[in-house]
Amino acid sequence: MSAVKLSTIRTRLKTAIEAIGGAGLKESPLPYQAFGRTPNAIGQKAFAVGVLSATSSDERQKPTVGTLCTTQIEVRFSYRLRPLAQNEDVDNIMNLENDIIIALCNRANAALYANIHIKFLSVNRILADTGEYMISNIEFQILHYLPLQ
């Protein structure tokens, strides 16, 4: 397995999410850390991919191979709740979460899975302070080698 940079992993995940047919997801112009912090930072079906942390294993670190890492990734997206169909939209959010999980755990996607392994960990959702949007957070764990040179 060849080493893969963290930015490459983030870009692959972004590309896989944007390729979900009929989902209408678009990457937010704001980085993950700023997504959802203010009402004007949220848009319908906007998403951000955040690299939360990367932890090296106890294996020997080899400059030519890299270091074996477990990287925590979170996908955050927003979904607008219609005032008269909020329960229906919550179901739509959960369906979209499932579509993202399926897209990122699809091992048949050779471009996404080149030299990495993706594992789904958890999903949770919160209501934005304005009550207009639901924010969904989907957490994944990536096993890969991180380059050392």
PDB file of all heavy atoms in Angstrom, residues 20 22-23 25 44-45 77-82 84-100 123 125 134 136 138:
ATOM      1  N   ILE A  20     -22.725  11.513  -5.999  1.00  0.00           N
ATOM      2  CA  ILE A  20     -23.957  10.807  -5.632  1.00  0.00           C
ATOM      3  C   ILE A  20     -25.086  11.327  -6.525  1.00  0.00           C
ATOM      4  O   ILE A  20     -25.434  12.501  -6.482  1.00  0.00           O
ATOM      5  CB  ILE A  20     -24.308  11.015  -4.143  1.00  0.00           C
ATOM      6  CG1 ILE A  20     -23.206  10.432  -3.256  1.00  0.00           C
ATOM      7  CG2 ILE A  20     -25.665  10.380  -3.820  1.00  0.00           C
ATOM      8  CD1 ILE A  20     -23.356  10.778  -1.792  1.00  0.00           C
ATOM      9  N   GLY A  22     -28.355  12.530  -8.138  1.00  0.00           N
ATOM     10  CA  GLY A  22     -29.605  13.117  -7.696  1.00  0.00           C
ATOM     11  C   GLY A  22     -29.596  13.736  -6.315  1.00  0.00           C
ATOM     12  O   GLY A  22     -30.614  14.245  -5.862  1.00  0.00           O
ATOM     13  N   ALA A  23     -28.458  13.701  -5.627  1.00  0.00           N
ATOM     14  CA  ALA A  23     -28.408  14.217  -4.250  1.00  0.00           C
ATOM     15  C   ALA A  23     -28.347  15.739  -4.209  1.00  0.00           C
ATOM     16  O   ALA A  23     -28.837  16.357  -3.269  1.00  0.00           O
ATOM     17  CB  ALA A  23     -27.231  13.621  -3.500  1.00  0.00           C
ATOM     18  N   LEU A  25     -25.764  17.601  -3.708  1.00  0.00           N
ATOM     19  CA  LEU A  25     -24.815  18.091  -2.712  1.00  0.00           C
ATOM     20  C   LEU A  25     -23.724  18.926  -3.368  1.00  0.00           C
ATOM     21  O   LEU A  25     -23.239  18.590  -4.444  1.00  0.00           O
ATOM     22  CB  LEU A  25     -24.178  16.913  -1.967  1.00  0.00           C
ATOM     23  CG  LEU A  25     -25.116  16.158  -1.040  1.00  0.00           C
ATOM     24  CD1 LEU A  25     -24.581  14.777  -0.740  1.00  0.00           C
ATOM     25  CD2 LEU A  25     -25.334  16.936   0.239  1.00  0.00           C
ATOM     26  N   GLN A  44     -28.516  25.046   1.646  1.00  0.00           N
ATOM     27  CA  GLN A  44     -29.226  23.785   1.401  1.00  0.00           C
ATOM     28  C   GLN A  44     -28.307  22.773   0.734  1.00  0.00           C
ATOM     29  O   GLN A  44     -27.728  23.050  -0.308  1.00  0.00           O
ATOM     30  CB  GLN A  44     -30.480  24.053   0.553  1.00  0.00           C
ATOM     31  CG  GLN A  44     -31.169  22.829  -0.011  1.00  0.00           C
ATOM     32  CD  GLN A  44     -31.849  21.955   1.035  1.00  0.00           C
ATOM     33  OE1 GLN A  44     -31.567  22.013   2.212  1.00  0.00           O
ATOM     34  NE2 GLN A  44     -32.750  21.107   0.582  1.00  0.00           N
ATOM     35  N   LYS A  45     -28.142  21.630   1.353  1.00  0.00           N
ATOM     36  CA  LYS A  45     -27.344  20.511   0.868  1.00  0.00           C
ATOM     37  C   LYS A  45     -25.874  20.890   0.627  1.00  0.00           C
ATOM     38  O   LYS A  45     -25.207  20.316  -0.217  1.00  0.00           O
ATOM     39  CB  LYS A  45     -27.951  19.900  -0.389  1.00  0.00           C
ATOM     40  CG  LYS A  45     -29.306  19.260  -0.139  1.00  0.00           C
ATOM     41  CD  LYS A  45     -29.790  18.550  -1.382  1.00  0.00           C
ATOM     42  CE  LYS A  45     -31.126  17.910  -1.174  1.00  0.00           C
ATOM     43  NZ  LYS A  45     -31.595  17.211  -2.362  1.00  0.00           N
ATOM     44  N   PHE A  77     -23.023  18.086   6.674  1.00  0.00           N
ATOM     45  CA  PHE A  77     -23.858  18.720   5.648  1.00  0.00           C
ATOM     46  C   PHE A  77     -25.114  19.299   6.273  1.00  0.00           C
ATOM     47  O   PHE A  77     -25.512  18.932   7.377  1.00  0.00           O
ATOM     48  CB  PHE A  77     -24.190  17.743   4.508  1.00  0.00           C
ATOM     49  CG  PHE A  77     -25.231  16.710   4.815  1.00  0.00           C
ATOM     50  CD1 PHE A  77     -26.569  16.954   4.559  1.00  0.00           C
ATOM     51  CD2 PHE A  77     -24.875  15.474   5.331  1.00  0.00           C
ATOM     52  CE1 PHE A  77     -27.540  15.994   4.830  1.00  0.00           C
ATOM     53  CE2 PHE A  77     -25.830  14.515   5.602  1.00  0.00           C
ATOM     54  CZ  PHE A  77     -27.170  14.773   5.354  1.00  0.00           C
ATOM     55  N   SER A  78     -25.707  20.233   5.555  1.00  0.00           N
ATOM     56  CA  SER A  78     -26.916  20.896   6.044  1.00  0.00           C
ATOM     57  C   SER A  78     -28.093  20.569   5.139  1.00  0.00           C
ATOM     58  O   SER A  78     -27.932  20.307   3.947  1.00  0.00           O
ATOM     59  CB  SER A  78     -26.705  22.409   6.105  1.00  0.00           C
ATOM     60  OG  SER A  78     -26.343  22.906   4.842  1.00  0.00           O
ATOM     61  N   TYR A  79     -29.260  20.589   5.741  1.00  0.00           N
ATOM     62  CA  TYR A  79     -30.497  20.313   5.016  1.00  0.00           C
ATOM     63  C   TYR A  79     -31.573  21.231   5.579  1.00  0.00           C
ATOM     64  O   TYR A  79     -31.797  21.275   6.793  1.00  0.00           O
ATOM     65  CB  TYR A  79     -30.903  18.848   5.195  1.00  0.00           C
ATOM     66  CG  TYR A  79     -31.897  18.346   4.178  1.00  0.00           C
ATOM     67  CD1 TYR A  79     -31.473  17.584   3.100  1.00  0.00           C
ATOM     68  CD2 TYR A  79     -33.249  18.626   4.307  1.00  0.00           C
ATOM     69  CE1 TYR A  79     -32.392  17.114   2.166  1.00  0.00           C
ATOM     70  CE2 TYR A  79     -34.167  18.168   3.381  1.00  0.00           C
ATOM     71  CZ  TYR A  79     -33.726  17.412   2.316  1.00  0.00           C
ATOM     72  OH  TYR A  79     -34.622  16.949   1.389  1.00  0.00           O
ATOM     73  N   ARG A  80     -32.215  21.963   4.696  1.00  0.00           N
ATOM     74  CA  ARG A  80     -33.235  22.928   5.120  1.00  0.00           C
ATOM     75  C   ARG A  80     -34.528  22.210   5.469  1.00  0.00           C
ATOM     76  O   ARG A  80     -35.009  21.353   4.724  1.00  0.00           O
ATOM     77  CB  ARG A  80     -33.497  23.932   4.005  1.00  0.00           C
ATOM     78  CG  ARG A  80     -34.409  25.048   4.443  1.00  0.00           C
ATOM     79  CD  ARG A  80     -34.388  26.178   3.419  1.00  0.00           C
ATOM     80  NE  ARG A  80     -35.118  27.309   3.937  1.00  0.00           N
ATOM     81  CZ  ARG A  80     -36.391  27.539   3.685  1.00  0.00           C
ATOM     82  NH1 ARG A  80     -37.078  26.722   2.907  1.00  0.00           N
ATOM     83  NH2 ARG A  80     -36.996  28.591   4.194  1.00  0.00           N
ATOM     84  N   LEU A  81     -35.077  22.575   6.631  1.00  0.00           N
ATOM     85  CA  LEU A  81     -36.344  22.009   7.076  1.00  0.00           C
ATOM     86  C   LEU A  81     -37.488  22.916   6.629  1.00  0.00           C
ATOM     87  O   LEU A  81     -37.506  24.100   6.958  1.00  0.00           O
ATOM     88  CB  LEU A  81     -36.366  21.884   8.597  1.00  0.00           C
ATOM     89  CG  LEU A  81     -35.336  20.948   9.216  1.00  0.00           C
ATOM     90  CD1 LEU A  81     -35.395  21.039  10.736  1.00  0.00           C
ATOM     91  CD2 LEU A  81     -35.552  19.529   8.755  1.00  0.00           C
ATOM     92  N   ARG A  82     -38.424  22.347   5.905  1.00  0.00           N
ATOM     93  CA  ARG A  82     -39.602  23.105   5.486  1.00  0.00           C
ATOM     94  C   ARG A  82     -40.549  23.213   6.685  1.00  0.00           C
ATOM     95  O   ARG A  82     -40.775  22.221   7.380  1.00  0.00           O
ATOM     96  CB  ARG A  82     -40.286  22.423   4.310  1.00  0.00           C
ATOM     97  CG  ARG A  82     -39.394  22.395   3.056  1.00  0.00           C
ATOM     98  CD  ARG A  82     -39.976  21.533   1.982  1.00  0.00           C
ATOM     99  NE  ARG A  82     -39.947  20.129   2.457  1.00  0.00           N
ATOM    100  CZ  ARG A  82     -40.585  19.127   1.883  1.00  0.00           C
ATOM    101  NH1 ARG A  82     -41.317  19.333   0.810  1.00  0.00           N
ATOM    102  NH2 ARG A  82     -40.507  17.906   2.365  1.00  0.00           N
ATOM    103  N   LEU A  84     -43.733  23.216   7.137  1.00  0.00           N
ATOM    104  CA  LEU A  84     -44.902  22.341   7.217  1.00  0.00           C
ATOM    105  C   LEU A  84     -44.594  20.884   6.893  1.00  0.00           C
ATOM    106  O   LEU A  84     -45.520  20.075   6.768  1.00  0.00           O
ATOM    107  CB  LEU A  84     -46.004  22.871   6.290  1.00  0.00           C
ATOM    108  CG  LEU A  84     -46.482  24.288   6.626  1.00  0.00           C
ATOM    109  CD1 LEU A  84     -47.493  24.772   5.603  1.00  0.00           C
ATOM    110  CD2 LEU A  84     -47.052  24.349   8.041  1.00  0.00           C
ATOM    111  N   ALA A  85     -43.301  20.553   6.768  1.00  0.00           N
ATOM    112  CA  ALA A  85     -42.933  19.166   6.451  1.00  0.00           C
ATOM    113  C   ALA A  85     -41.645  18.774   7.171  1.00  0.00           C
ATOM    114  O   ALA A  85     -40.786  18.110   6.611  1.00  0.00           O
ATOM    115  CB  ALA A  85     -42.773  19.003   4.946  1.00  0.00           C
ATOM    116  N   GLN A  86     -41.520  19.163   8.427  1.00  0.00           N
ATOM    117  CA  GLN A  86     -40.270  18.927   9.137  1.00  0.00           C
ATOM    118  C   GLN A  86     -39.972  17.454   9.359  1.00  0.00           C
ATOM    119  O   GLN A  86     -38.831  17.019   9.185  1.00  0.00           O
ATOM    120  CB  GLN A  86     -40.263  19.698  10.457  1.00  0.00           C
ATOM    121  CG  GLN A  86     -40.185  21.193  10.226  1.00  0.00           C
ATOM    122  CD  GLN A  86     -39.945  21.974  11.492  1.00  0.00           C
ATOM    123  OE1 GLN A  86     -39.638  21.414  12.540  1.00  0.00           O
ATOM    124  NE2 GLN A  86     -40.095  23.283  11.396  1.00  0.00           N
ATOM    125  N   ASN A  87     -40.972  16.659   9.731  1.00  0.00           N
ATOM    126  CA  ASN A  87     -40.726  15.227   9.929  1.00  0.00           C
ATOM    127  C   ASN A  87     -40.342  14.541   8.622  1.00  0.00           C
ATOM    128  O   ASN A  87     -39.473  13.674   8.600  1.00  0.00           O
ATOM    129  CB  ASN A  87     -41.944  14.549  10.559  1.00  0.00           C
ATOM    130  CG  ASN A  87     -42.059  14.880  12.030  1.00  0.00           C
ATOM    131  OD1 ASN A  87     -41.059  15.090  12.704  1.00  0.00           O
ATOM    132  ND2 ASN A  87     -43.278  14.947  12.529  1.00  0.00           N
ATOM    133  N   GLU A  88     -40.981  14.943   7.536  1.00  0.00           N
ATOM    134  CA  GLU A  88     -40.637  14.396   6.222  1.00  0.00           C
ATOM    135  C   GLU A  88     -39.190  14.754   5.864  1.00  0.00           C
ATOM    136  O   GLU A  88     -38.453  13.920   5.340  1.00  0.00           O
ATOM    137  CB  GLU A  88     -41.597  14.954   5.172  1.00  0.00           C
ATOM    138  CG  GLU A  88     -41.364  14.423   3.766  1.00  0.00           C
ATOM    139  CD  GLU A  88     -42.321  15.044   2.761  1.00  0.00           C
ATOM    140  OE1 GLU A  88     -43.416  15.491   3.147  1.00  0.00           O
ATOM    141  OE2 GLU A  88     -41.958  15.070   1.570  1.00  0.00           O
ATOM    142  N   ASP A  89     -38.786  15.991   6.160  1.00  0.00           N
ATOM    143  CA  ASP A  89     -37.418  16.408   5.857  1.00  0.00           C
ATOM    144  C   ASP A  89     -36.388  15.710   6.735  1.00  0.00           C
ATOM    145  O   ASP A  89     -35.274  15.445   6.295  1.00  0.00           O
ATOM    146  CB  ASP A  89     -37.282  17.930   5.961  1.00  0.00           C
ATOM    147  CG  ASP A  89     -37.888  18.635   4.753  1.00  0.00           C
ATOM    148  OD1 ASP A  89     -38.036  17.973   3.699  1.00  0.00           O
ATOM    149  OD2 ASP A  89     -38.210  19.821   4.864  1.00  0.00           O
ATOM    150  N   VAL A  90     -36.757  15.389   7.970  1.00  0.00           N
ATOM    151  CA  VAL A  90     -35.839  14.612   8.821  1.00  0.00           C
ATOM    152  C   VAL A  90     -35.613  13.232   8.195  1.00  0.00           C
ATOM    153  O   VAL A  90     -34.493  12.731   8.163  1.00  0.00           O
ATOM    154  CB  VAL A  90     -36.358  14.509  10.270  1.00  0.00           C
ATOM    155  CG1 VAL A  90     -35.546  13.498  11.081  1.00  0.00           C
ATOM    156  CG2 VAL A  90     -36.312  15.874  10.940  1.00  0.00           C
ATOM    157  N   ASP A  91     -36.667  12.629   7.660  1.00  0.00           N
ATOM    158  CA  ASP A  91     -36.508  11.358   6.946  1.00  0.00           C
ATOM    159  C   ASP A  91     -35.612  11.531   5.716  1.00  0.00           C
ATOM    160  O   ASP A  91     -34.760  10.686   5.432  1.00  0.00           O
ATOM    161  CB  ASP A  91     -37.869  10.802   6.511  1.00  0.00           C
ATOM    162  CG  ASP A  91     -38.677  10.273   7.676  1.00  0.00           C
ATOM    163  OD1 ASP A  91     -38.088  10.000   8.746  1.00  0.00           O
ATOM    164  OD2 ASP A  91     -39.911  10.136   7.517  1.00  0.00           O
ATOM    165  N   ASN A  92     -35.799  12.653   4.995  1.00  0.00           N
ATOM    166  CA  ASN A  92     -34.954  12.933   3.826  1.00  0.00           C
ATOM    167  C   ASN A  92     -33.490  13.081   4.225  1.00  0.00           C
ATOM    168  O   ASN A  92     -32.594  12.630   3.510  1.00  0.00           O
ATOM    169  CB  ASN A  92     -35.422  14.203   3.109  1.00  0.00           C
ATOM    170  CG  ASN A  92     -36.774  14.035   2.449  1.00  0.00           C
ATOM    171  OD1 ASN A  92     -37.187  12.928   2.125  1.00  0.00           O
ATOM    172  ND2 ASN A  92     -37.481  15.143   2.273  1.00  0.00           N
ATOM    173  N   ILE A  93     -33.248  13.703   5.368  1.00  0.00           N
ATOM    174  CA  ILE A  93     -31.883  13.854   5.876  1.00  0.00           C
ATOM    175  C   ILE A  93     -31.269  12.479   6.147  1.00  0.00           C
ATOM    176  O   ILE A  93     -30.139  12.205   5.752  1.00  0.00           O
ATOM    177  CB  ILE A  93     -31.876  14.707   7.163  1.00  0.00           C
ATOM    178  CG1 ILE A  93     -32.247  16.150   6.845  1.00  0.00           C
ATOM    179  CG2 ILE A  93     -30.529  14.638   7.872  1.00  0.00           C
ATOM    180  CD1 ILE A  93     -32.659  16.943   8.061  1.00  0.00           C
ATOM    181  N   MET A  94     -32.014  11.630   6.819  1.00  0.00           N
ATOM    182  CA  MET A  94     -31.492  10.294   7.137  1.00  0.00           C
ATOM    183  C   MET A  94     -31.239   9.481   5.866  1.00  0.00           C
ATOM    184  O   MET A  94     -30.275   8.727   5.793  1.00  0.00           O
ATOM    185  CB  MET A  94     -32.420   9.573   8.103  1.00  0.00           C
ATOM    186  CG  MET A  94     -32.381  10.208   9.498  1.00  0.00           C
ATOM    187  SD  MET A  94     -33.284   9.303  10.757  1.00  0.00           S
ATOM    188  CE  MET A  94     -34.973   9.756  10.372  1.00  0.00           C
ATOM    189  N   ASN A  95     -32.083   9.643   4.852  1.00  0.00           N
ATOM    190  CA  ASN A  95     -31.852   8.966   3.570  1.00  0.00           C
ATOM    191  C   ASN A  95     -30.581   9.477   2.907  1.00  0.00           C
ATOM    192  O   ASN A  95     -29.800   8.701   2.355  1.00  0.00           O
ATOM    193  CB  ASN A  95     -33.047   9.156   2.635  1.00  0.00           C
ATOM    194  CG  ASN A  95     -34.262   8.383   3.093  1.00  0.00           C
ATOM    195  OD1 ASN A  95     -34.148   7.404   3.826  1.00  0.00           O
ATOM    196  ND2 ASN A  95     -35.425   8.832   2.684  1.00  0.00           N
ATOM    197  N   LEU A  96     -30.359  10.786   2.973  1.00  0.00           N
ATOM    198  CA  LEU A  96     -29.157  11.367   2.387  1.00  0.00           C
ATOM    199  C   LEU A  96     -27.903  10.931   3.154  1.00  0.00           C
ATOM    200  O   LEU A  96     -26.865  10.648   2.551  1.00  0.00           O
ATOM    201  CB  LEU A  96     -29.269  12.888   2.346  1.00  0.00           C
ATOM    202  CG  LEU A  96     -28.214  13.642   1.547  1.00  0.00           C
ATOM    203  CD1 LEU A  96     -28.057  13.092   0.135  1.00  0.00           C
ATOM    204  CD2 LEU A  96     -28.571  15.126   1.494  1.00  0.00           C
ATOM    205  N   GLU A  97     -28.009  10.841   4.468  1.00  0.00           N
ATOM    206  CA  GLU A  97     -26.895  10.310   5.268  1.00  0.00           C
ATOM    207  C   GLU A  97     -26.535   8.905   4.797  1.00  0.00           C
ATOM    208  O   GLU A  97     -25.355   8.581   4.613  1.00  0.00           O
ATOM    209  CB  GLU A  97     -27.277  10.254   6.752  1.00  0.00           C
ATOM    210  CG  GLU A  97     -27.402  11.576   7.434  1.00  0.00           C
ATOM    211  CD  GLU A  97     -28.073  11.480   8.798  1.00  0.00           C
ATOM    212  OE1 GLU A  97     -28.621  10.413   9.159  1.00  0.00           O
ATOM    213  OE2 GLU A  97     -28.075  12.500   9.501  1.00  0.00           O
ATOM    214  N   ASN A  98     -27.569   8.087   4.600  1.00  0.00           N
ATOM    215  CA  ASN A  98     -27.330   6.716   4.154  1.00  0.00           C
ATOM    216  C   ASN A  98     -26.691   6.681   2.768  1.00  0.00           C
ATOM    217  O   ASN A  98     -25.801   5.868   2.503  1.00  0.00           O
ATOM    218  CB  ASN A  98     -28.628   5.919   4.175  1.00  0.00           C
ATOM    219  CG  ASN A  98     -28.362   4.447   4.225  1.00  0.00           C
ATOM    220  OD1 ASN A  98     -27.838   3.964   5.220  1.00  0.00           O
ATOM    221  ND2 ASN A  98     -28.691   3.734   3.161  1.00  0.00           N
ATOM    222  N   ASP A  99     -27.119   7.578   1.874  1.00  0.00           N
ATOM    223  CA  ASP A  99     -26.514   7.652   0.541  1.00  0.00           C
ATOM    224  C   ASP A  99     -25.025   7.998   0.627  1.00  0.00           C
ATOM    225  O   ASP A  99     -24.202   7.442  -0.104  1.00  0.00           O
ATOM    226  CB  ASP A  99     -27.223   8.696  -0.326  1.00  0.00           C
ATOM    227  CG  ASP A  99     -28.638   8.289  -0.722  1.00  0.00           C
ATOM    228  OD1 ASP A  99     -28.977   7.087  -0.593  1.00  0.00           O
ATOM    229  OD2 ASP A  99     -29.404   9.181  -1.132  1.00  0.00           O
ATOM    230  N   ILE A 100     -24.677   8.902   1.522  1.00  0.00           N
ATOM    231  CA  ILE A 100     -23.260   9.281   1.700  1.00  0.00           C
ATOM    232  C   ILE A 100     -22.472   8.115   2.267  1.00  0.00           C
ATOM    233  O   ILE A 100     -21.367   7.805   1.801  1.00  0.00           O
ATOM    234  CB  ILE A 100     -23.141  10.533   2.598  1.00  0.00           C
ATOM    235  CG1 ILE A 100     -23.712  11.754   1.874  1.00  0.00           C
ATOM    236  CG2 ILE A 100     -21.685  10.774   3.010  1.00  0.00           C
ATOM    237  CD1 ILE A 100     -23.857  12.996   2.741  1.00  0.00           C
ATOM    238  N   VAL A 123     -23.071   8.517  13.103  1.00  0.00           N
ATOM    239  CA  VAL A 123     -23.808   9.633  12.500  1.00  0.00           C
ATOM    240  C   VAL A 123     -24.634  10.285  13.599  1.00  0.00           C
ATOM    241  O   VAL A 123     -25.149   9.602  14.490  1.00  0.00           O
ATOM    242  CB  VAL A 123     -24.691   9.165  11.313  1.00  0.00           C
ATOM    243  CG1 VAL A 123     -25.761   8.202  11.764  1.00  0.00           C
ATOM    244  CG2 VAL A 123     -25.300  10.337  10.580  1.00  0.00           C
ATOM    245  N   ARG A 125     -27.096  14.181  14.273  1.00  0.00           N
ATOM    246  CA  ARG A 125     -27.621  15.404  13.657  1.00  0.00           C
ATOM    247  C   ARG A 125     -28.069  16.355  14.748  1.00  0.00           C
ATOM    248  O   ARG A 125     -28.495  15.920  15.822  1.00  0.00           O
ATOM    249  CB  ARG A 125     -28.727  15.089  12.649  1.00  0.00           C
ATOM    250  CG  ARG A 125     -29.918  14.404  13.160  1.00  0.00           C
ATOM    251  CD  ARG A 125     -30.674  13.593  12.116  1.00  0.00           C
ATOM    252  NE  ARG A 125     -30.007  12.403  11.652  1.00  0.00           N
ATOM    253  CZ  ARG A 125     -29.894  11.277  12.343  1.00  0.00           C
ATOM    254  NH1 ARG A 125     -30.371  11.196  13.558  1.00  0.00           N
ATOM    255  NH2 ARG A 125     -29.289  10.241  11.831  1.00  0.00           N
ATOM    256  N   MET A 134     -31.086  21.476   9.588  1.00  0.00           N
ATOM    257  CA  MET A 134     -30.561  20.373  10.372  1.00  0.00           C
ATOM    258  C   MET A 134     -29.140  20.156   9.869  1.00  0.00           C
ATOM    259  O   MET A 134     -28.894  20.166   8.661  1.00  0.00           O
ATOM    260  CB  MET A 134     -31.407  19.114  10.153  1.00  0.00           C
ATOM    261  CG  MET A 134     -31.045  17.956  11.032  1.00  0.00           C
ATOM    262  SD  MET A 134     -31.589  18.129  12.733  1.00  0.00           S
ATOM    263  CE  MET A 134     -33.314  17.756  12.611  1.00  0.00           C
ATOM    264  N   SER A 136     -26.056  17.545   9.811  1.00  0.00           N
ATOM    265  CA  SER A 136     -25.729  16.133   9.996  1.00  0.00           C
ATOM    266  C   SER A 136     -24.217  15.958   9.997  1.00  0.00           C
ATOM    267  O   SER A 136     -23.508  16.582   9.207  1.00  0.00           O
ATOM    268  CB  SER A 136     -26.343  15.312   8.862  1.00  0.00           C
ATOM    269  OG  SER A 136     -26.037  13.956   9.034  1.00  0.00           O
ATOM    270  N   ILE A 138     -21.324  12.916   9.882  1.00  0.00           N
ATOM    271  CA  ILE A 138     -21.067  11.486   9.647  1.00  0.00           C
ATOM    272  C   ILE A 138     -19.574  11.264   9.817  1.00  0.00           C
ATOM    273  O   ILE A 138     -18.760  11.882   9.125  1.00  0.00           O
ATOM    274  CB  ILE A 138     -21.508  11.064   8.237  1.00  0.00           C
ATOM    275  CG1 ILE A 138     -22.942  11.518   7.957  1.00  0.00           C
ATOM    276  CG2 ILE A 138     -21.384   9.548   8.082  1.00  0.00           C
ATOM    277  CD1 ILE A 138     -23.366  11.358   6.513  1.00  0.00           C
TER     278      ILE A 138
END
